[in-house]
Amino acid sequence: MTASSASRIDAPHRTPRRPQAWSLALLASQAAVAALWWRYGATVGLPAMLATHAPFWWGTLWPHSRVFGPVLNRLTTDERLVWLTIDDGPSDDTSAILDALDAHGAKATFFLVGARATARPDLVREIARRGHGVGNHSSTHPAKWFWALGPVRMRREIADTQRILSEILGAPPHWFRAVVGMSNPFVNAVLKSHGLARVAWSARGFDGVAGDPARAVARIERDLSPGAIVLLHEGATHGGNVETIRLLLQRLDGLGYRAVVPSPKKD
Ligand SMILES: [Zn+2]
């Protein structure tokens, strides 16, 4: 029996409802700022302008922010269940990670980069064949500039990967993971048109940049609790991702946690 068949859990699948609401808020707030500036000058107008810009920066740079739309940060359960999410594949690590997951009866969701999926479609099919989930993690993974992408490029990043993964797997993903966790005002309109819901995380070990598996797992363990969403990576140049996942799976077994993939539930 696998972990996922032993314990089922739903995840609220919330697609953005009003992805353009931010533009009305921006227009209204900047009209108010202009009026204040005109009436009282820069001593009032400038602080007012900075204050009205703050929510936009917060919504863009803070991965758990709901300023621009819904984001799932954790699951609701009293059971010792966690959702492992593995970003940035497929990669040279994917096969070893699949074997490690099988060895522990664990399931995970792989948030894949479209261009990498195009290059290695067999790995994508293997992920699905072994009962894991597949999510959308952009098509080119523009880590430095994702937060600053305009509406046309943002749509291409997300839509291309929906198409690529649909062609390989026969069905499009339900979940989207933002690149380096950032959002921006243009993400949610694309998510809405593709029926995608955004997933963040509640525990991470910085294993994308930190190559020491023991330290990465210790960081994750600090934030483990029932329903945690764990952020993991594959294919990092430091070469420590597979070992981090192996070590984490051992710790999860020791602590009595099961790694399961939740079913998307519309609400
Ligand atoms: Zn990534």
Side-chain angles (χ1 to χ4, degrees):
M1 195 192 308
T2 63
S4 62
S5 61
S7 305
R8 277 184 43 82
I9 185 168
D10 292 329
H13 187 267
R14 294 190 186 112
T15 51
R17 293 210 172 110
R18 292 182 304 279
Q20 312 297 353
W22 65 271
S23 57
L24 293 176
L26 183 65
L27 277 175
S29 67
Q30 297 318 290
V33 166
L36 285 171
W37 205 305
W38 183 76
R39 176 77 177 77
Y40 299 107
T43 45
V44 174
L46 183 62
M49 188 183 79
L50 295 175
T52 55
H53 288 191
F56 287 82
W57 287 108
W58 176 253
T60 298
L61 300 177
W62 176 241
H64 309 291
S65 164
R66 296 186 170 95
V67 169
F68 298 124
V71 59
L72 183 65
N73 292 313
R74 57 179 309 114
L75 305 175
T76 305
T77 180
D78 297 327
E79 283 186 79
R80 291 204 150 206
L81 302 178
V82 292
W83 185 10
L84 303 183
T85 63
I86 304 169
D87 287 10
D88 296 356
S91 72
D92 289 341
D93 293 341
T94 307
S95 295
I97 291 170
L98 289 172
D99 290 345
L101 291 167
D102 276 356
H104 290 266
K107 298 295 182 205
T109 294
F110 290 73
F111 282 91
L112 302 179
V113 176
R116 297 173 197 169
T118 299
R120 308 174 88 161
D122 290 350
L123 284 176
V124 180
R125 279 188 282 270
E126 188 62 11
I127 290 168
R129 192 186 69 76
R130 299 217 208 170
H132 303 289
V134 169
N136 181 327
H137 190 44
S138 85
S139 64
T140 67
H141 204 268
K144 287 199 181 84
W145 297 109
F146 186 79
W147 66 275
L149 295 184
V152 173
R153 174 78 190 277
M154 184 63 80
R155 183 165 292 278
R156 202 164 65 225
E157 284 290 337
I158 298 171
D160 282 0
T161 297
Q162 284 300 90
R163 178 182 49 75
I164 290 163
L165 294 175
S166 297
E167 284 173 6
I168 297 172
L169 296 173
H174 298 291
W175 304 106
F176 174 72
R177 161 76 42 76
V179 177
V180 294
M182 290 177 184
S183 183
N184 86 10
F186 306 116
V187 171
N188 284 284
V190 193
L191 298 188
K192 183 178 183 183
S193 60
H194 287 276
L196 282 163
R198 188 156 76 93
V199 182
W201 58 85
S202 61
R204 67 165 161 180
F206 295 94
D207 62 323
V209 288
D212 180 344
R215 288 189 63 185
V217 171
R219 286 193 201 103
I220 290 167
E221 206 175 315
R222 277 204 302 262
D223 292 324
L224 270 188
S225 60
I229 300 176
V230 182
L231 172 62
L232 296 159
H233 294 84
E234 61 173 296
T237 49
H238 58 62
N241 288 152
V242 175
E243 200 47 43
T244 298
I245 290 171
R246 281 196 192 116
L247 196 59
L248 177 64
L249 290 166
Q250 285 170 16
R251 285 301 294 150
L252 291 176
D253 282 352
L255 295 165
Y257 279 95
R258 290 171 176 279
V260 297
V261 170
S263 308
K265 186 167 185 282
K266 301 271 177 216
D267 72 353

